Amino acid sequence: MNDSESADRERGDTQRLNWIDRRRAKIRDEIARNRRGEYTVPTWVLTVALVVIVVGWLALIFLVG
């Protein structure tokens, strides 16, 4: 193995470690936000809940009445 292959391999390992460190930091930050009460429900979850409620009401109106 020559020096350039060794340097490429070390750079790849460093990039991988940096990615893992960034991912861990992102997860830690999210957990900290959630513990402080800054948790927000994703928009798609709210949309699905609204659609379920509206469809339920419409089904109730049309099936009973």
Side-chain angles (χ1 to χ4, degrees):
M1 184 180 340
N2 61 22
D3 290 336
S4 65
E5 289 176 2
S6 176
D8 289 342
R9 186 172 301 206
E10 288 177 12
R11 186 174 31 250
D13 291 342
T14 303
Q15 288 175 349
R16 183 181 185 102
L17 287 175
N18 287 340
W19 177 82
I20 291 171
D21 290 339
R22 285 192 310 268
R23 180 71 181 148
R24 286 180 181 162
K26 185 177 178 182
I27 292 169
R28 277 193 304 268
D29 292 343
E30 183 176 354
I31 290 171
R33 279 193 308 272
N34 292 344
R35 286 182 178 166
R36 287 191 305 264
E38 297 177 17
Y39 177 75
T40 57
V41 178
T43 305
W44 68 268
V45 174
L46 296 174
T47 303
V48 168
L50 179 62
V51 168
V52 167
I53 292 169
V54 169
V55 168
W57 274 104
L58 291 175
L60 184 65
I61 291 169
F62 288 117
L63 294 176
V64 172

